[in-house]
Amino acid sequence: MPLPKTLIPVLLAWMPLFVLASGQDGLPADYCRWERVDYSIVEPLCGLAGDAQRGSEIVSDSGRGNCLACHQLPIPGIEAYGTIGPPLAGVASRLSVPQIRLRVVDSRYLNPMSIMPGFYRDPRLINRPAKKYVGKTFLSAQQVEDVIAYLATLK
Ligand code: HEC
């Protein structure tokens, strides 16, 4: 039996309740909320510890961080890099780890015009990403913490 037309608005009116009841606010279940304090994020994402070795692989991997598209990094053997962003050598002597964390998570909180991708931006704020990133962050929380652990070694 087809759905009576008069029922459709009734069902639509209940939609927000169905969404609330399923406990979803549009964020992926594994998205860890973070808190911005001044110009930084003090607590590691999801309380995770980063690994600098893995981080150094992520920053130079074009399928993951791809930081080299815009930044020079002091990694031996790398000749091609972008020059749109500042070189990251010595970044840990300019910025604290919590300050670096906010930049990698979502630099638009510091500069609304920033062209740097927010690697752990709230996915609801991302407009038309590639299919594999719909509803997802560009890097996982663990990958972001790994990248931060690596950047922290660049003194
Ligand atoms: C599309 C280009 C682009 C990509 C890709 C990019 N960045 Fe950036 N980044 C920038 C720009 C431009 C700035 C300068 C500040 C601003 O405009 O937000 C910046 C600033 C930074 C800063 C602050 C540096 C300082 O000395 O103040 C850090 C740290 C940083 N980026 C880390 C990263 C990491 C880590 C990645 C990869 C996971 C990355 N960026 C990917 C463009 C980019």
Side-chain angles (χ1 to χ4, degrees), residues 69-127:
C70 298
H71 295 284
Q72 183 180 9
L73 281 159
I75 300 179
I78 289 183
E79 280 156 26
Y81 51 82
T83 52
I84 290 173
L88 293 181
V91 67
S93 42
R94 298 193 290 275
L95 301 172
S96 68
V97 164
Q99 287 171 330
I100 292 176
R101 185 172 291 111
L102 179 59
R103 280 171 165 83
V104 178
V105 164
D106 198 344
S107 62
R108 291 213 190 140
Y109 282 93
L110 293 156
N111 168 14
M113 300 292 281
S114 177
I115 55 157
M116 175 164 152
F119 289 92
Y120 204 74
R121 177 172 295 156
D122 179 337
R124 295 170 301 185
L125 305 177
I126 299 169
N127 187 34

Side-chain angles (χ1 to χ4, degrees), residues 6-69:
T6 48
L7 257 185
I8 293 171
V10 177
L11 283 176
L12 284 178
W14 280 87
M15 283 285 276
L17 261 189
F18 293 142
V19 172
L20 283 177
S22 66
Q24 295 191 349
D25 50 10
L27 276 175
D30 61 351
Y31 185 83
C32 293
R33 289 169 192 274
W34 42 270
E35 194 189 344
R36 186 165 44 99
V37 180
D38 296 329
Y39 301 107
S40 63
I41 301 174
V42 179
E43 301 295 330
L45 299 178
C46 319
L48 292 164
D51 179 287
Q53 175 58 39
R54 280 198 310 250
S56 73
E57 289 156 20
I58 294 165
V59 292
S60 52
D61 179 343
S62 62
R64 293 186 289 176
N66 200 13
C67 316
L68 285 171

